[in-house]
Amino acid sequence: MITKVLCFGELLLRVSPAPNDVEEKQPFHLYMGGAEANTATALAGWNVPVKYCTVLPDNFMSRYILDYLEYRGIYTSSILFSGNRVGVYYLDRGADLKSSVVYDRERSSFSELKRGMIDWDKVLRDVSWLNLTAISPALNQNVADVCLEALEAASRKKITTSIDLNYRSRLWKYGKQPIEVIPALVEHCDLVMGNIWAANSLLGTSIDEQIHEKGRKEDYLEHAKATSLEIKERFPRCKSVANTFRFDSDKDNLLYYTSLFTDGKQYNSPEFRTKGVIDRSGSGDCFMAGLIYGFYNHHQPQDIVNYATAAAFGKLQEQGDATDQDVFTVSKLRTDNDA
């Protein structure tokens, strides 16, 4: 039986100012996103069987959303209908989620999830990989409990699990600090992806406060290795840790590279550079999809990190939250960059 990757998290609608060339006709554009949905979309485009689990209100708009997900090749049978609204966020043109973002997610259908609402035995019966992010448990304690419920169910079934350590400080408003919530989730994860600063904020790993003063690629990558080893020591189930580094030297120049620590060795990607970024949203989700794509297909570690990095970098040149890159496009970007 061909097993699927399951992505679990909140589907969001994104509203952003329209690009300059069309803003007079239509001042805003609407995109469909959400970190886990973005990862699912990338995987489906790379021919990985993937299904998506979220919660949507039972209305005509949700039917259009399901039609679109299925059009993109994502299985939607695990989507639950409950509540009254889809979460929304507002993002400035070309902005980063850490800067110009406004969330409108309170009382969304997903945010009202509670333990027992999802039949995980049913949802996971054809799944070999479960992926979620640290965004969902930032919403409230009930959703954090459901994330743990999902990971515990996957652990019982010996399903591979992964978590993206997205840190969204604007979401943590319910009286808990991330470090009080996220470690219990990571205890059940085989792959942890993020960066050295997110790991510090969410897991309490060590951080060199002078790392930016050193500023050398070698220092950042050595810190990534130290963070990876610390995570693996604290969380024995964890087999692989990935770290990303994205630096904007000014408005038009960007440097991107990553690392993957697995099987006792760190594998570093090539550097990618660009002048001009179309959209920063979804790049990390694409990187996670690239990691899952590589591990799912049993690729070699260096090939896994190289592909994931190229995919994430390519996403920076696409408008919207989810990528339209196919395997050929990502592979060509890798080849062109190496040349």
Side-chain angles (χ1 to χ4, degrees):
M1 179 179 70
I2 298 176
T3 58
K4 300 179 181 69
V5 174
L6 174 69
C7 294
F8 170 65
E10 183 169 19
L11 185 142
L12 295 169
L13 299 178
R14 166 186 157 194
V15 180
S16 289
N20 290 322
D21 56 342
V22 296
E23 64 182 355
E24 293 181 0
K25 295 181 179 179
Q26 179 56 260
F28 299 103
H29 276 187
L30 180 70
Y31 304 95
M32 195 177 72
E36 303 83 6
N38 297 337
T39 298
T41 302
L43 288 168
W46 302 333
N47 299 313
V48 174
V50 59
K51 64 179 181 177
Y52 180 51
C53 180
T54 192
V55 190
L56 298 173
D58 190 0
N59 59 36
F60 76 94
M61 282 298 293
S62 295
R63 305 299 170 185
Y64 282 109
I65 290 172
L66 259 65
D67 287 345
Y68 178 75
L69 291 172
E70 290 170 359
Y71 168 76
R72 297 301 295 258
I74 299 168
Y75 292 91
T76 61
S77 61
S78 297
I79 291 179
L80 180 69
F81 291 100
S82 179
N84 298 305
R85 63 182 299 256
V86 178
V88 178
Y89 77 100
Y90 305 89
L91 186 68
D92 201 0
R93 183 190 300 126
D96 193 294
L97 283 172
K98 298 180 181 66
S99 54
S100 301
V101 61
V102 176
Y103 292 108
D104 181 15
R105 302 173 67 165
E106 288 189 28
R107 299 186 179 180
S108 68
S109 294
F110 186 86
S111 72
E112 294 179 345
L113 260 179
K114 294 180 176 62
R115 272 184 175 265
M117 289 179 63
I118 297 176
D119 185 346
W120 289 110
D121 285 335
K122 181 179 179 181
V123 170
L124 296 170
R125 65 185 176 188
D126 58 349
V127 168
S128 62
W129 190 300
L130 168 65
N131 177 64
L132 47 72
T133 77
I135 297 176
S136 296
L139 298 177
N140 57 60
Q141 186 62 59
N142 284 331
V143 175
D145 291 342
V146 174
C147 291
L148 182 57
E149 180 186 43
L151 288 166
E152 289 172 341
S155 295
R156 289 194 296 270
K157 294 177 176 291
K158 302 188 185 309
I159 291 171
T160 301
T161 54
S162 56
I163 188 168
D164 184 343
L165 297 179
N166 315 68
Y167 179 46
R168 303 287 184 262
S169 60
R170 288 177 171 88
L171 291 178
W172 288 91
K173 303 298 183 185
Y174 64 97
K176 288 287 187 71
Q177 294 300 313
I179 200 168
E180 299 177 80
V181 177
I182 303 302
L185 304 181
V186 175
E187 286 179 5
H188 297 276
C189 293
D190 298 283
L191 168 64
V192 176
M193 172 245 160
N195 59 54
I196 59 175
W197 299 279
N200 171 254
S201 298
L202 301 180
L203 301 176
T205 55
S206 303
I207 193 75
D208 182 354
E209 300 292 349
Q210 279 74 50
I211 187 67
H212 286 308
E213 296 177 11
K214 298 175 182 177
R216 297 188 311 161
K217 178 181 178 181
E218 295 80 4
D219 294 317
Y220 286 115
L221 290 174
E222 190 60 32
H223 201 315
K225 183 177 181 180
T227 297
S228 300
L229 288 169
E230 188 173 349
I231 290 174
K232 285 176 61 63
E233 181 178 354
R234 285 183 53 193
F235 304 97
R237 172 162 173 168
C238 179
K239 301 178 181 66
S240 306
V241 181
N243 283 281
T244 64
F245 295 94
R246 193 178 81 187
F247 301 105
D248 296 87
S249 56
D250 54 48
K251 184 177 179 181
D252 295 320
N253 292 284
L254 182 141
L255 169 64
Y256 188 80
Y257 57 88
T258 74
S259 68
L260 172 64
F261 191 93
T262 190
D263 295 329
K265 181 179 178 182
Q266 180 157 294
Y267 300 84
N268 302 321
S269 78
E271 288 185 5
F272 286 79
R273 296 177 180 270
T274 185
K275 290 186 176 181
V277 172
I278 292 176
D279 198 326
R280 287 171 169 78
S281 184
S283 177
D285 310 327
C286 205
F287 180 72
M288 175 58 94
L291 295 175
I292 297 173
Y293 169 79
F295 280 113
Y296 183 91
N297 288 295
H298 307 291
H299 294 167
Q300 293 300 308
Q302 190 65 61
D303 291 330
I304 292 173
V305 71
N306 288 357
Y307 182 93
T309 307
F313 183 78
K315 173 62 193 70
L316 295 169
Q317 302 304 324
E318 296 179 289
Q319 193 71 47
D321 283 31
T323 186
D324 285 316
Q325 300 172 100
D326 57 20
V327 173
F328 175 78
T329 302
V330 176
S331 299
K332 186 176 186 302
L333 183 58
R334 283 179 55 188
T335 302
D336 292 346
N337 187 71
D338 291 341

